[in-house]
Structure formats: structure tokens, C-alpha cells
Amino acid sequence: MLSESILDRALIRVLTAHMHLGFFDPPAVVSYKRLTPDVIDAPAHRLLARWAASRVIVLLQNRMSILPLNFNSSDRPILMVGPNADNVHALWGDYAGKSAAVNVTARMAAVGEVGAARVRYAPGCLNTKCANTSGFSAATNLVNGVGAVIAVMGTQGNGDADEIEGHDRLNITLPGLQEDLLEQLRVAASATNAPLIVVLMSGGAVSSPWADTHADAVLWAGFNGEFSGTGLFDVLSGRVNPGARLPYTVPASLAQIPDISECVHFFHKVGKLLTESWKGTTTVQTNWVSVVRIGGLRQNRHHCTHSGTVSRTHRGITLT
């Protein structure tokens, strides 16, 4: 059990942030209320975005100190591979603002680092769902002769997302056949004596015990914004030391997560109203779900029917 002092510390941090943001002040004296649209994506903010893109990256594995990579030690090309290697939507999480002009993927940053002639690219998977192996051979065929294989995997929190509100994941493994792609890349990379660097992009927990065991290095980048690729290569090249820490503990599998369904209940959604009126006494078919909420995961337990008063207010639908 958590001690009361730890809970107090967490509460103080939250309320202190709210105070700095002016949540408890009259709107007229809150400086953020006076911001104008011209500050969005301003030059100073772009500099901050680039700085943050590298500082949030977490080094999870660095076997034989393979990182940092020396991209100038030879003229061998590098292979950028994976569904997030050139995926602009992977730069942004859910509820994220969009940059008007700057969206640097890992592939773009690789070109900026070593030049287009030394960058090979294949996504391997059509998207992060990675439903089939049709693109695997195109990726593995490019491994021969490269100096490094950089596989940018994970989830997507924007666009055709698999990690977004209303689309909760059922497990914490890499989606679809992504790990199968990594296994084939490992075989091909070993044959050409090239290191396999795995970069995980996600908002919630993503577990890959296979990558931890078999990849030469593993990095977690989150959804690190408009300079995502630039930040990644700042770390890969050694210009920035990856000193960040994970914001949560990642279990190896769901088997390590205790069943807490008896103490966590979440009202998932109000179903079809069996009336034409938004307000009044009626019977409502609802989907009550007892869930485990860890990193966006959801585990269904039971359903029920609610009979009572349904009211629509400015806060939504109220059941009594």
C-alpha cells in the first residue's frame, strides 16, 4: 500500500502545476489566456521541440555498448525499416497539436545525417497493425551490405491509430506481426555483421522481451513530436546522451499484472436510449465494464442493464 505521504506528494505536484497554469485564478489575470495564434510553432518553440525530442528518449538496452553509432567510420549505407520509420502520424499522440511545416521522421533525419545515397528504406509492414508478412522480404533484402539496421516499431497515436481513445489495446506486445519482422531482420543483419537497433514509439506500455534479448540496442522514444527523427539521430550519433527514464513500469507480459477488477470499475459507455427523448424516465441498455486500466488496456468483466432517469446536461449523460 502507498503511504499517505507519497499520495500527498503526488497531489501537491498536480495542484502546484495547476496553480502555475492559473487554474485557480480569474481568467483576466492568467497570461495564457492572452496568447495569440502567432505563438504556435514559433521559432523559439521549434528549438524547444527539437531539444525535447532527444531528451525524452530512454535507453533500454545497449548490448556491447553498440551505441553511439559512428556514421562517419565508413561509407556503408544504413537501413531504416519498420512501420514508424517514415510515418508522420507516429510523431503525434492522441490530442496533439500539429506542426504547420516541420515533421521530421526517422527516415528524413537519416538522410540529413548521412545523405540520401546512404539511406535504404522499407517499411516492412503497411502500418503499425502489421497484419501480414507481404512486405518482409522487401525489407530483409535490403540488409546486405548495410552498416546498421534501425527498426522503428511500436504503435501509432494519430491517424489510423491503434493507440487512441476508443481503440484500447488488448495486450502490451508489439502490434500484429512486428516482432516477426524483427526476427527476420535479426537473421539478415547477423549474416552481414550489422547491428540491429530497435526504436519503440508508443504512448502506453509496449513490451518486447524478444527485442530486449536479441536486439543490439533498444530505445523508447514515445511520441516525441515534430523533430522526432532529429532527436533520434541526436541520440544514435552520441550528440545527446539518452538520460530519460520511463514514465511507467512495463511488465514483460499481461501475466505479470494482478487482477484488480474487484477494486476498479469503469463506466465504459451509455448504449442505445430506448426513447426519443433525451430526458425523462426510461430504461437504458448500458454496457457496464469492470476493467483493468493500465496503459490504456481494458479487460471486460460483465454487462448489466440500468433502469432509471436519464438526464442530458452540459457534462454529458447522467444516470440515476
Side-chain angles (χ1 to χ4, degrees), residues 60-122:
L60 300 176
Q61 178 62 269
N62 192 20
R63 190 165 283 104
M64 301 297 291
S65 298
I66 192 66
L67 295 179
L69 299 174
N70 186 351
F71 293 109
N72 297 318
S73 63
S74 75
D75 58 358
R76 296 173 70 184
I78 59 176
L79 173 60
M80 302 303 302
V81 64
N84 282 339
D86 198 34
N87 181 7
V88 172
H89 292 293
L91 311 187
W92 312 100
D94 195 10
Y95 292 101
K98 305 298 189 300
S99 166
V102 180
N103 292 289
V104 184
T105 66
R107 180 193 185 186
M108 295 175 189
V111 171
E113 188 77 25
V114 301
R118 287 182 55 197
V119 176
R120 298 178 184 177
Y121 166 71

Side-chain angles (χ1 to χ4, degrees), residues 210-258:
W210 184 93
D212 180 59
T213 303
H214 295 91
D216 295 287
V218 182
L219 298 163
W220 180 83
F223 298 134
N224 52 338
E226 62 188 274
F227 284 103
S228 174
T230 309
L232 173 62
F233 272 83
D234 281 343
V235 168
L236 292 176
S237 66
R239 290 189 292 270
V240 173
N241 182 41
R245 299 294 184 267
L246 285 173
Y248 41 60
T249 298
V250 180
S253 71
L254 290 182
Q256 295 183 339
I257 299 176

Side-chain angles (χ1 to χ4, degrees), residues 18-35:
H18 283 184
M19 289 178 181
H20 284 308
L21 292 171
F23 282 18
F24 304 113
D25 298 324
V29 301
V30 178
S31 60
Y32 298 106
K33 296 287 186 180
R34 297 190 292 272
L35 293 178

Side-chain angles (χ1 to χ4, degrees), residues 65 88 135 174 191 193 229 234 258 270 281:
S65 298
V88 172
L174 281 169
N193 199 31
D234 281 343
V270 175
T281 301

Side-chain angles (χ1 to χ4, degrees), residues 15-301:
L15 293 179
T16 300
H18 283 184
M19 289 178 181
H20 284 308
L21 292 171
F23 282 18
F24 304 113
D25 298 324
V29 301
V30 178
S31 60
Y32 298 106
K33 296 287 186 180
R34 297 190 292 272
L35 293 178
T36 55
D38 60 298
V39 305
I40 298 174
D41 205 27
H45 295 166
R46 288 190 181 181
L47 290 174
L48 178 59
R50 173 166 181 168
W51 180 90
S54 60
R55 269 66 177 186
V56 302
I57 293 177
V58 182
L59 180 64
L60 300 176
Q61 178 62 269
N62 192 20
R63 190 165 283 104
M64 301 297 291
S65 298
I66 192 66
L67 295 179
L69 299 174
N70 186 351
F71 293 109
N72 297 318
S73 63
S74 75
D75 58 358
R76 296 173 70 184
I78 59 176
L79 173 60
M80 302 303 302
V81 64
N84 282 339
D86 198 34
N87 181 7
V88 172
H89 292 293
L91 311 187
W92 312 100
D94 195 10
Y95 292 101
K98 305 298 189 300
S99 166
V102 180
N103 292 289
V104 184
T105 66
R107 180 193 185 186
M108 295 175 189
V111 171
E113 188 77 25
V114 301
R118 287 182 55 197
V119 176
R120 298 178 184 177
Y121 166 71
C125 303
L126 179 63
N127 51 41
T128 54
K129 296 176 177 60
C130 201
N132 58 67
T133 63
S134 61
F136 284 17
S137 60
T140 56
N141 289 341
L142 293 177
V143 173
N144 187 42
V146 303
V149 177
I150 303 172
V152 190
M153 319 300 283
T155 63
Q156 180 178 314
N158 199 272
D160 186 20
D162 43 19
E163 188 175 9
I164 195 171
E165 182 178 353
H167 295 274
D168 296 338
R169 294 176 292 136
L170 298 178
N171 55 62
I172 58 174
T173 58
L174 281 169
L177 300 174
Q178 287 192 41
E179 202 158 274
D180 296 69
L181 174 59
L182 288 178
E183 292 180 12
Q184 294 193 24
L185 290 169
R186 173 74 280 175
V187 172
S190 296
T192 194
N193 199 31
L196 173 63
I197 314 300
V198 176
V199 181
L200 301 175
M201 299 188 71
S202 71
V206 170
S207 175
S208 180
W210 184 93
D212 180 59
T213 303
H214 295 91
D216 295 287
V218 182
L219 298 163
W220 180 83
F223 298 134
N224 52 338
E226 62 188 274
F227 284 103
S228 174
T230 309
L232 173 62
F233 272 83
D234 281 343
V235 168
L236 292 176
S237 66
R239 290 189 292 270
V240 173
N241 182 41
R245 299 294 184 267
L246 285 173
Y248 41 60
T249 298
V250 180
S253 71
L254 290 182
Q256 295 183 339
I257 299 176
D259 186 346
I260 57 173
S261 61
E262 292 303 317
C263 58
V264 180
H265 295 275
F266 179 71
F267 180 53
H268 176 45
K269 67 178 181 179
V270 175
K272 181 181 179 181
L273 296 178
L274 301 182
T275 178
E276 294 182 358
S277 172
W278 277 103
K279 188 173 183 179
T281 301
T282 185
T283 298
V284 184
Q285 294 180 343
T286 65
N287 178 13
W288 286 88
V289 184
S290 175
V291 299
V292 178
R293 296 291 290 187
I294 298 180
L297 304 179
R298 181 172 63 221
Q299 183 174 351
N300 295 348
R301 292 298 182 190

